[in-house]
Amino acid sequence: MNINSKIYIAGHRGMVGGSILRKLNQQGYKNLIYKTRTELNLLDQNKVNSFFDEHKPDIVFCAAAIVGGIKASMENQTKFLYENLQIQNNVINAAYENKTDRFIYFSSSCMYPTNAPQPMKEECILTGKLEPTCEGYAIAKTAGTLLLDYMFKEKQFNGVTIVPCNLYGPNDSFDPQHSHVLAALVRKFYEAKTENKPSVSIWGTGNARRELIHVDDCADISIKIAKNYDLNGWINVGCGNDHSIEELAHLIKNIIKYDGKIVFDKTKPDGALRKCTDISKLKKLNLKPNILIEDGILEMINIYKNLYENNSNTTKSYN
């Protein structure tokens, strides 16, 4: 990948794709291609094929996906499985047919088994049962990861899968139906503080642990991998340590200076009890995240404050 490469960012209005686009613009890349869902429906194989026939990108960052937090995943298993399979299959195959030089696919740590040894090494994929609350999404992401791996081994198609831990940052969704853990907690505590609510109710026991990485760190690392390393297969992108939901709740509560109580609703599921990635491969490349969790939380609070004060729609599209 060089400054003159023709680069297609699939999912540029989502959290990961948006950060990739910002970073590439900042680094001086001018030959960038991106389309909204209205302009290019990635579920339509014929339209995707026509797009690739016309543009023939050298590099593809495939960050387009149907995603959501635990509630959305539980209630939309069919949609998350079916549509993600369609999107990734269409884009991967069209890229191969049009001789794309490098394909960077974004998967998820959800594809690791629920009971995988912690921290989770890349070779743990397909060694056990998936977390039931996100099984549809996890199966789709596993399929995309393996498809790229098979295509490299059988057809020498040059692709690598980025497996990020829980992401947060600009373009995150604060919609209660779709938000991930950090955005959901920030919204709850900000509204409780602003509206003088006596308590904040949080799903689960608070014991589940989550590893978090700012989306800009993930984007920076992914671009460096595309530019500097001829990798195939999949690689974990995270920070290698995690926090319990209770720890995150108290951290946000202290930063936001909320005085009320925290109540854990134990009738609601925890999801996977732990999902921490082994980042040994990443360390060997001398790559690591740089944004501290405290700084990231403060940024998320300011993002939601702006949305709240302007009565903005807090539902963000990931496609």
Side-chain angles (χ1 to χ4, degrees):
M1 185 170 113
N2 59 61
I3 204 71
N4 296 313
S5 295
K6 185 183 289 188
I7 304 171
Y8 170 48
I9 303 107
H12 76 283
R13 296 206 297 184
M15 186 160 54
V16 177
S19 185
I20 294 285
L21 179 58
R22 288 195 304 274
K23 295 293 180 181
L24 290 174
N25 275 318
Q26 290 166 6
Q27 294 175 25
Y29 289 86
K30 303 297 184 184
N31 205 356
L32 305 178
I33 310 165
Y34 44 90
K35 299 288 183 181
T36 65
R37 183 187 296 182
T38 302
E39 294 170 325
L40 175 61
N41 183 0
L42 297 180
L43 295 169
D44 189 319
Q45 186 177 42
N46 290 330
K47 290 182 178 178
V48 174
N49 289 341
S50 296
F51 168 81
F52 273 85
D53 287 343
E54 177 184 354
H55 293 282
K56 298 191 182 303
D58 303 308
I59 311 293
V60 172
F61 287 91
C62 186
I66 307 298
V67 302
I70 186 171
K71 188 175 190 299
S73 292
M74 289 171 60
E75 295 176 354
N76 297 278
Q77 299 271 24
T78 301
K79 180 182 179 72
F80 278 32
L81 174 57
Y82 180 73
E83 294 194 10
N84 280 311
L85 285 173
Q86 281 191 299
I87 290 169
Q88 63 204 31
N89 287 350
N90 289 344
V91 177
I92 291 171
N93 189 67
Y96 167 73
E97 292 293 340
N98 285 275
K99 298 179 172 52
T100 292
D101 294 330
R102 191 86 170 113
F103 195 100
I104 299 87
Y105 171 68
F106 290 89
S107 186
S108 167
S109 59
C110 290
M111 73 176 186
Y112 288 117
T114 300
N115 296 320
Q118 303 288 323
M120 302 179 294
K121 296 180 180 291
E122 285 86 351
E123 56 263 31
C124 288
I125 185 175
L126 295 178
T127 60
K129 291 185 177 181
L130 299 168
E131 166 58 35
T133 57
C134 61
E135 189 175 70
Y137 179 70
I139 290 172
K141 285 298 172 182
T142 303
T145 300
L146 292 177
L147 177 60
L148 269 182
D149 194 44
Y150 296 153
M151 291 180 77
F152 169 70
K153 292 173 181 175
E154 297 174 8
K155 303 174 183 293
Q156 292 73 56
F157 182 54
N158 195 6
V160 63
T161 295
I162 304 296
V163 187
C165 61
N166 284 48
L167 294 164
Y168 70 93
N171 272 358
D172 209 342
S173 172
F174 292 92
D175 179 0
Q177 300 297 317
H178 300 281
S179 57
H180 291 93
V181 59
L182 193 61
L185 290 174
V186 165
R187 176 172 182 158
K188 283 176 180 285
F189 280 101
Y190 184 85
E191 292 184 357
K193 167 77 172 180
T194 305
E195 299 168 12
N196 296 312
K197 295 179 180 179
S199 64
V200 169
S201 178
I202 298 172
W203 273 33
T205 64
N207 295 326
R209 303 184 68 83
R210 293 294 179 265
E211 179 187 9
L212 300 165
I213 185 173
H214 194 286
V215 69
D216 287 349
D217 274 337
C218 180
D220 277 333
I221 290 169
S222 302
I223 291 169
K224 288 175 181 176
I225 288 173
K227 287 170 61 175
N228 302 316
Y229 300 99
D230 189 21
L231 297 179
N232 296 102
W234 51 96
I235 182 168
N236 291 331
V237 173
C239 54
N241 58 70
D242 55 13
H243 307 268
S244 73
I245 302 301
E246 184 173 10
E247 289 168 352
L248 288 171
H250 282 285
L251 187 56
I252 295 168
K253 178 183 177 181
N254 291 336
I255 292 173
I256 215 164
K257 295 181 171 59
Y258 172 65
D259 296 327
K261 296 180 179 179
I262 298 175
V263 178
F264 290 98
D265 184 355
K266 297 179 182 179
T267 66
K268 298 294 194 297
D270 279 315
L273 288 180
R274 195 177 181 206
K275 287 167 54 180
C276 188
T277 58
D278 184 301
I279 57 169
S280 299
K281 283 188 178 181
L282 200 65
K283 288 180 177 179
K284 288 180 180 178
L285 303 178
N286 293 316
L287 298 174
K288 64 178 182 177
N290 296 305
I291 299 173
L292 298 176
I293 184 66
E294 293 83 1
D295 294 336
I297 288 173
L298 185 58
E299 180 189 31
M300 290 288 284
I301 291 169
N302 288 329
I303 291 171
Y304 187 66
K305 177 184 178 183
N306 182 63
L307 291 169
Y308 182 88
E309 291 180 350
N310 290 284
N311 296 313
S312 298
N313 184 355
T314 55
T315 304
K316 296 292 182 182
S317 171
Y318 282 77
N319 287 280

